[in-house]
Amino acid sequence: HVAAMGITRAHVERLLAESNIGLVLYRPRQCYIESQPLKLFEYMAAGCAVVASDISALREVLDDADAEWFAPGDPAALARAIRALAAAPERARDIGARLREKARRYTWDARGAQLAAIGGDEERAEVLGIRPTGIKTAVFVLSAALLGATGAAFYRARVWLE
């Protein structure tokens, strides 16, 4: 934990507020392909533009125009993507503002409510734009409960698992 190094959550939030671009750098490995990193949502909520590895898990959250994409494992492409956003601060601000708004759909409460609404019905999930993945989806909500979300979120997670 970074808190052990003297870095507080308030310090991280301040750094994010002062940042223009967040980097979401992942290779297409099994451990990343099906997960969406928390830092992505933190960047979005902070209003940062995003430079992102072009992997399917990130494409489930971000549209083409929501990030400066690069091929994973290509350092030259990564450098070009960073330079592209750094050279266009107005575009980076526009992307950041759009992502801040989009982040509201991915709060623990919003995701818990969406999952509770689908109740295991994949057709309803599709209408809501959610791709349920069985236990993994339940674990996402369960994680929210363990991280301090409401008791209702924990209940929804338990119901989903049953």
Side-chain angles (χ1 to χ4, degrees), residues 7-160:
I7 300 172
T8 65
R9 180 69 193 163
H11 182 77
V12 171
E13 289 171 359
R14 190 170 48 257
L15 288 173
L16 282 172
E18 296 169 359
S19 300
N20 298 324
I21 300 171
L23 305 178
V24 187
L25 315 177
Y26 288 96
R27 292 181 182 267
R29 294 197 174 121
Q30 190 61 36
C31 57
Y32 304 130
I33 287 176
E34 295 182 5
S35 64
Q36 296 155 342
L38 185 57
K39 69 180 173 180
L40 169 62
F41 301 103
E42 289 180 333
Y43 296 156
M44 291 169 64
C48 294
V50 172
V51 170
S53 299
D54 196 351
I55 62 172
S56 60
L58 300 179
R59 289 276 185 180
E60 289 177 10
V61 176
L62 302 172
D63 297 326
D64 284 341
D66 288 341
E68 191 66 40
W69 298 96
F70 73 96
D74 184 345
L78 169 59
R80 282 191 302 275
I82 294 169
R83 280 195 296 270
L85 278 180
E90 188 171 313
R91 178 173 170 249
R93 276 191 299 276
D94 290 345
I95 291 171
R98 186 170 57 251
L99 291 179
R100 179 180 284 127
E101 184 60 34
K102 192 173 197 173
R104 295 171 196 249
R105 290 186 264 173
Y106 295 97
T107 65
W108 292 118
D109 287 339
R111 294 298 279 178
Q114 291 169 344
L115 290 170
I118 62 174
D121 182 339
E122 291 191 27
E123 189 173 314
R124 288 181 69 198
E126 192 68 31
V127 170
L128 292 172
I130 301 170
R131 190 184 67 146
T133 55
I135 294 297
K136 194 168 172 192
T137 302
V139 169
F140 179 86
V141 181
L142 182 58
S143 297
L146 295 174
L147 292 171
T150 66
F154 179 75
Y155 174 75
R156 287 191 291 266
R158 208 182 75 213
V159 168
W160 186 269

